[in-house]
Amino acid sequence: MRRKNDFGPSPEFSDKTAEEQLVSVLRMCGDIAKYHGMIIVVEPLNAGETNLINTVADGLDFAARAAHPCVFCLADFFHVLKSGESLDAIKNSGGALRHIHIAGPNRTFYP
Protein backbone atom coordinates (compact mmCIF):
# COMPACT_ATOMS: atom_id res chain seq x y z
CA MET A 1 0.00 0.00 0.00
CA ARG A 2 2.79 2.45 0.71
CA ARG A 3 3.96 4.32 -2.33
CA LYS A 4 7.40 5.76 -2.92
CA ASN A 5 7.39 9.55 -2.79
CA ASP A 6 8.98 12.36 -0.80
CA PHE A 7 7.60 10.88 2.43
CA GLY A 8 9.47 7.57 2.40
CA PRO A 9 9.50 4.67 2.69
CA SER A 10 12.14 4.42 5.37
CA PRO A 11 14.54 1.48 4.98
CA GLU A 12 14.36 0.73 8.71
CA PHE A 13 10.58 1.00 8.90
CA SER A 14 8.82 -1.65 6.85
CA ASP A 15 5.46 -1.25 5.11
CA LYS A 16 4.07 -4.01 7.29
CA THR A 17 5.18 -2.23 10.48
CA ALA A 18 3.68 1.08 9.31
CA GLU A 19 0.37 -0.57 8.44
CA GLU A 20 0.20 -2.52 11.72
CA GLN A 21 0.90 0.63 13.73
CA LEU A 22 -1.77 2.58 11.85
CA VAL A 23 -4.36 -0.13 12.47
CA SER A 24 -3.43 -0.12 16.16
CA VAL A 25 -3.77 3.68 16.35
CA LEU A 26 -7.14 3.54 14.56
CA ARG A 27 -8.38 1.08 17.19
CA MET A 28 -7.14 3.31 20.04
CA CYS A 29 -8.75 6.37 18.45
CA GLY A 30 -11.93 4.34 17.91
CA ASP A 31 -12.04 3.52 21.63
CA ILE A 32 -11.66 7.20 22.54
CA ALA A 33 -14.31 8.19 19.99
CA LYS A 34 -16.69 5.56 21.37
CA TYR A 35 -16.20 6.81 24.91
CA HIS A 36 -17.22 10.30 23.74
CA GLY A 37 -20.10 9.10 21.54
CA MET A 38 -18.30 10.03 18.33
CA ILE A 39 -16.84 8.36 15.25
CA ILE A 40 -13.59 8.93 13.39
CA VAL A 41 -13.06 8.82 9.65
CA VAL A 42 -9.90 8.01 7.73
CA GLU A 43 -9.24 10.56 4.98
CA PRO A 44 -7.23 9.24 2.03
CA LEU A 45 -4.83 11.84 0.56
CA ASN A 46 -3.22 11.83 -2.87
CA ALA A 47 0.30 10.44 -3.28
CA GLY A 48 1.75 13.96 -3.38
CA GLU A 49 0.72 14.42 0.26
CA THR A 50 1.23 11.02 1.89
CA ASN A 51 2.50 7.55 1.12
CA LEU A 52 0.15 5.30 3.05
CA ILE A 53 -3.56 5.87 2.36
CA ASN A 54 -3.94 7.34 -1.12
CA THR A 55 -7.32 6.07 -2.31
CA VAL A 56 -10.79 5.58 -0.93
CA ALA A 57 -10.19 1.85 -1.39
CA ASP A 58 -7.10 2.15 0.87
CA GLY A 59 -9.11 4.07 3.48
CA LEU A 60 -11.91 1.53 3.40
CA ASP A 61 -9.36 -1.26 3.76
CA PHE A 62 -7.75 0.32 6.83
CA ALA A 63 -11.14 1.02 8.40
CA ALA A 64 -12.08 -2.63 7.83
CA ARG A 65 -8.77 -3.83 9.26
CA ALA A 66 -9.32 -1.71 12.37
CA ALA A 67 -12.61 -3.59 12.77
CA HIS A 68 -13.90 -0.98 15.20
CA PRO A 69 -17.53 0.19 15.32
CA CYS A 70 -16.42 3.84 15.44
CA VAL A 71 -13.85 3.81 12.60
CA PHE A 72 -15.01 4.67 9.08
CA CYS A 73 -13.75 6.28 5.88
CA LEU A 74 -14.12 9.69 4.23
CA ALA A 75 -14.02 10.42 0.49
CA ASP A 76 -12.56 13.74 -0.63
CA PHE A 77 -13.31 14.38 -4.29
CA PHE A 78 -10.22 16.59 -4.67
CA HIS A 79 -8.00 13.62 -3.78
CA VAL A 80 -10.13 11.15 -5.75
CA LEU A 81 -9.75 13.33 -8.86
CA LYS A 82 -6.05 14.04 -8.26
CA SER A 83 -5.34 10.31 -7.87
CA GLY A 84 -7.37 9.39 -10.95
CA GLU A 85 -9.36 7.02 -8.78
CA SER A 86 -12.52 5.38 -10.05
CA LEU A 87 -15.74 6.11 -8.19
CA ASP A 88 -16.31 2.36 -7.76
CA ALA A 89 -14.90 2.28 -4.21
CA ILE A 90 -17.33 5.02 -3.20
CA LYS A 91 -20.21 3.30 -4.96
CA ASN A 92 -19.43 -0.04 -3.28
CA SER A 93 -18.46 1.28 0.17
CA GLY A 94 -21.64 0.17 1.90
CA GLY A 95 -21.91 1.72 5.35
CA ALA A 96 -18.16 2.25 5.75
CA LEU A 97 -18.15 5.71 4.13
CA ARG A 98 -19.40 8.35 6.56
CA HIS A 99 -18.37 11.72 5.19
CA ILE A 100 -17.59 13.35 1.84
CA HIS A 101 -15.66 16.49 0.90
CA ILE A 102 -16.71 17.97 -2.41
CA ALA A 103 -14.08 20.11 -4.14
CA GLY A 104 -12.78 20.44 -7.66
CA PRO A 105 -9.30 19.63 -8.96
CA ASN A 106 -7.97 23.04 -7.89
CA ARG A 107 -9.52 22.72 -4.42
CA THR A 108 -12.41 24.88 -5.52
CA PHE A 109 -15.85 24.18 -4.18
CA TYR A 110 -18.64 23.04 -6.41
CA PRO A 111 -21.86 25.04 -6.15
Side-chain angles (χ1 to χ4, degrees), residues 56-97:
V56 173
D58 292 346
L60 291 167
D61 177 61
F62 274 97
R65 287 166 61 182
H68 194 287
C70 294
V71 177
F72 298 92
C73 184
L74 172 153
D76 184 324
F77 278 93
F78 168 78
H79 295 289
V80 169
L81 294 170
K82 183 126 178 144
S83 299
E85 184 178 6
S86 159
L87 298 180
D88 289 343
I90 295 170
K91 179 181 169 187
N92 300 319
S93 64
L97 191 64

Side-chain angles (χ1 to χ4, degrees), residues 15-36:
D15 292 356
K16 182 179 180 191
T17 299
E19 291 178 13
E20 288 172 351
Q21 285 187 352
L22 178 56
V23 169
S24 178
V25 166
L26 288 173
R27 289 178 182 146
M28 286 189 287
C29 291
D31 287 343
I32 294 167
K34 184 176 182 179
Y35 177 81
H36 292 285

Side-chain angles (χ1 to χ4, degrees), residues 6 13 42-43 49-50 57 61 63 72 74 78 98 105 108 110:
D6 293 338
F13 202 76
V42 176
E43 180 176 4
E49 297 184 26
T50 189
D61 177 61
F72 298 92
L74 172 153
F78 168 78
R98 290 295 173 101
T108 56
Y110 287 117

